[in-house]
Amino acid sequence: MGKIKRHIYDELIPMFRRRLSGVDALPQLSLLGLFAGIVTGLVILLFRLAIEWPLATFLPGRHDEAFESLDLLTRGLLPLGGALALGLLMHRLAMSDRKVGVTYVMERLNYHQGYISLRSAVIQFVLGVGTVVTGQSSGREGPAVHLGAAFSSLLGQWMKLPNNSIRTLVACGCAAAISASFNTPIAGVIFAMEVVMMEYTIAGFTPVILASVSSAVVTQAVYGSAPAFSVPALTMNSLLEIPWILAIALVIGISSAAFVRLLVLSTRFNQRPILLRMLVAGLLMVPAALLLPEIMGIGYDTVSEAIHGELPILLLLAIALTKLVITAVTIGLGMPSGLIGPTIFIGATIGGAMGLIGAAAAPNYVSSAGFYAMLGMGAMMGSVLQAPLAALMALLELTRNPNIILPGMLAITVSSLVASEIFGQRSIFLSVLKSQGLSYQNSPIIQALRRVSVGAIMERSIHRTPRHLTAEKARELLKSEPRWLIVDGQKGPTALLPAVDLARFLEDHAKKLTPDPEKPDETPQVDLMEIPANRRDLAPIAYQATLEEAMAQFENSRAEALYVQRHAAPMIQRIIGVVLKSEIESYYQYRKE
């Protein structure tokens, strides 16, 4: 049994990691994606239970969204008290620990290769539950994405996988979280690739699909396979409705731009104390909760009522405008709320109101308000996220109404174009990153470098040697025919030497290096830093690092070669290969051809 364990640890696991270093490790990535989806599904189940159980226990009627049934005093004090409690908690946290949601996941992907800590996941869990339970204008999907990405990343870190694989695992966690939250496996996949990763690859799609499916299976085992919203079989009555659909798309595009602009403007107060900002956010919620309690919490009950045409036009307009302003301002001030749920709420209520207006103006031609509420959901989500395909898939899976595809494509595309081309709006997550002085690099070259780790191209034929050695020892180390020699100095590796240069020197100076029998105490020495050779300056790089990190290390260190080291034991780093900049360039030239 001990031999089997040693075989697995010494041979199979390193081989598994080595395969994951390249871009062709589809079977290994697929297995990891499947496991990441199951883990994420279980985490999201726990997250939803932590939200739904206290709400169902304490809200009237044992309904987890019945904030409207609370008395006025409770309705006003709940979000204010919750904001203060969240503010006190966040006040005790470091600035970096307050970052949560999809924006934080994208930051970790762009600047930290997808590494997310357990501490970050625990903080997001507590804050995500706190915002919804205390009746803030929030959603659970953003926190769910953070949790899914975090636990998938932790899985890769625990297995000490290369960083390119951890990035893929983060995408798996994002897809699985959306799939588990909405019961929308396809939309989860597209969201992860279009919104978070911003790239489409065959090797990336397969594990992400498996993660999304396995996560959906886990949640369906508990919640069933019913869609998030029970939708009647609504359809477009006539092609004459297309101008009205375009008008709705225009209104929602404008609303989307206003929402993003208002949120970004509110982030300008982020230099103020977090407790003060959360107090202001809580005070803003008080009148909104008293007058329009429909905006409290996730609000999917209100979305369902809008789809079924059960709300009057003035109420729809009022709650749409209030939800837009309150959500944008409070999140901009630092409220750790999700963004995806509120965009669906705003779109559904705007669409429902426009549907009622159209029905009043042309009752014989315009479809029901519920039909336009569904269009509004997709259009607002696509416009705010600047992710039309993800929004269309979400709309189709949320409603399970195939009649929505054609008008949905039109509404989503036009609203996204209005926001991006007329108002210059980018994805809300990219806009928030920019307001923080950060960016998200997604050029084809950067993406290509991120998909491969140094372990895939490093030269393993190496030998580590001290600077000074005898000719006999030099000949002995050349017997193993290494390609490169890593020369050690006083502070570790200092230079990389082609083994052939040492062999040539030994051959050219064979007579000089032969020991003199008359002077047995004077053994000729070879100084590897003095002999004629094409030496290269060295800098370290971790085995898990991607080629993007390797290129950054070349730039920062001005080194001509990198030695790849792997953590072998506490305080011990083992050198297992070397990488040259030219090898990275030749590798991609070969891949292109």
Side-chain angles (χ1 to χ4, degrees), residues 432-487:
V432 173
L433 280 174
K434 185 178 179 181
S435 72
Q436 297 172 356
L438 305 173
S439 64
Y440 193 90
Q441 299 179 10
N442 63 331
S443 70
I445 294 176
I446 294 294
Q447 290 175 351
L449 291 173
R450 286 172 174 171
R451 292 188 200 117
V452 184
S453 286
V454 293
I457 68 166
M458 70 181 182
E459 175 59 61
R460 298 173 183 273
S461 179
I462 61 171
H463 196 290
R464 191 172 180 180
T465 177
R467 173 177 175 173
H468 299 93
L469 67 167
T470 63
E472 182 182 352
K473 286 188 177 180
R475 293 188 182 94
E476 189 175 330
L477 73 84
L478 289 175
K479 288 180 181 179
S480 61
E481 298 184 352
R483 184 179 175 188
W484 296 101
L485 301 177
I486 297 177
V487 183

Side-chain angles (χ1 to χ4, degrees), residues 108-109 111-115 163 166-167 450 546 548-549:
R108 300 302 297 182
L109 276 170
Y111 292 94
H112 304 280
Q113 304 302 324
Y115 279 62
N163 291 350
I166 291 179
R167 292 179 60 83
R450 286 172 174 171
T546 63
E548 179 199 16
E549 293 175 272

Side-chain angles (χ1 to χ4, degrees), residues 40-74:
T40 299
L42 294 173
V43 170
I44 301 307
L45 279 179
L46 181 62
F47 181 60
R48 291 182 63 172
L49 178 64
I51 291 173
E52 294 167 2
W53 178 79
L55 289 177
T57 301
F58 298 110
L59 288 181
R62 302 188 67 81
H63 190 284
D64 58 14
E65 293 197 64
F67 289 102
E68 299 90 336
S69 302
L70 292 171
D71 61 84
L72 284 175
L73 182 61
T74 305

Side-chain angles (χ1 to χ4, degrees), residues 180-452:
S181 297
F182 282 126
N183 194 16
T184 54
I186 301 177
V189 173
I190 304 301
F191 176 87
M193 307 304 284
E194 186 178 24
V195 177
V196 180
M197 301 297 289
M198 293 188 184
E199 61 177 336
Y200 295 94
T201 62
I202 300 299
F205 258 119
T206 302
V208 171
I209 289 172
L210 288 172
S212 187
V213 170
S214 58
S215 177
V217 169
V218 170
T219 52
Q220 285 184 16
V222 177
Y223 288 97
S225 59
F229 303 108
S230 175
V231 179
L234 302 173
T235 185
M236 185 169 65
N237 290 337
S238 167
L239 292 176
L240 295 174
E241 293 184 70
I242 289 179
W244 191 239
I245 292 174
L246 293 174
I248 292 173
L250 176 63
V251 170
I252 288 184
I254 295 170
S255 302
S256 164
F259 179 75
V260 175
R261 191 70 56 84
L262 186 57
L263 192 153
V264 172
L265 286 173
S266 300
T267 62
R268 295 183 177 182
F269 298 98
N270 283 351
Q271 301 304 318
R272 303 292 178 87
I274 183 63
L275 188 56
L276 175 62
R277 287 185 277 131
M278 295 296 283
L279 174 61
V280 173
L283 289 172
L284 288 173
M285 273 296 299
V286 172
L290 293 175
L291 299 174
L292 297 167
E294 290 83 2
I295 74 160
M296 298 177 70
I298 300 173
Y300 284 170
D301 56 338
T302 304
V303 172
S304 183
E305 290 173 351
I307 291 174
H308 287 84
E310 298 173 0
L311 300 176
I313 182 172
L314 291 179
L315 180 59
L316 284 169
L317 290 172
I319 59 179
L321 179 61
T322 306
K323 185 82 169 180
L324 187 153
V325 173
I326 292 294
T327 305
V329 173
T330 55
I331 292 179
L333 289 174
M335 183 67 70
S337 302
L339 282 166
I340 301 172
T343 63
I344 290 175
F345 182 106
I346 296 165
T349 48
I350 292 176
M354 293 290 287
L356 290 175
I357 294 172
N364 296 326
Y365 296 101
V366 175
S367 301
S368 68
F371 177 77
Y372 288 101
M374 290 190 294
L375 290 181
M377 287 165 48
M380 190 69 180
M381 180 180 176
S383 183
V384 169
L385 303 183
Q386 284 297 299
L389 187 56
L392 181 62
M393 289 297 101
L395 179 61
L396 184 59
E397 289 186 291
L398 285 171
T399 62
R400 297 196 182 170
N401 181 359
N403 300 317
I404 206 73
I405 295 178
L406 179 62
M409 291 173 69
L410 183 61
I412 291 170
T413 304
V414 172
S415 64
S416 298
L417 282 172
V418 168
S420 63
E421 300 305 317
I422 297 179
F423 296 98
Q425 177 202 313
R426 303 175 72 194
S427 160
I428 191 166
F429 304 123
L430 294 179
S431 299
V432 173
L433 280 174
K434 185 178 179 181
S435 72
Q436 297 172 356
L438 305 173
S439 64
Y440 193 90
Q441 299 179 10
N442 63 331
S443 70
I445 294 176
I446 294 294
Q447 290 175 351
L449 291 173
R450 286 172 174 171
R451 292 188 200 117
V452 184

Side-chain angles (χ1 to χ4, degrees), residues 529-588:
M529 296 301 293
E530 295 294 336
I531 67 172
N534 184 20
R535 280 177 291 272
R536 292 168 170 83
D537 292 333
L538 277 173
I541 190 77
Y543 174 70
Q544 289 91 348
T546 63
L547 297 188
E548 179 199 16
E549 293 175 272
M551 293 300 283
Q553 178 69 320
F554 275 121
E555 183 69 24
N556 296 333
S557 65
R558 304 293 182 183
E560 299 168 289
L562 303 176
Y563 62 90
V564 182
Q565 54 186 7
R566 185 170 63 195
H567 185 74
M571 305 298 291
I572 297 177
Q573 297 285 350
R574 180 184 169 197
I575 297 177
I576 58 174
V578 293
V579 175
L580 274 66
K581 191 174 184 179
S582 57
E583 290 176 344
I584 298 177
E585 295 168 350
S586 341
Y587 176 81
Y588 272 99

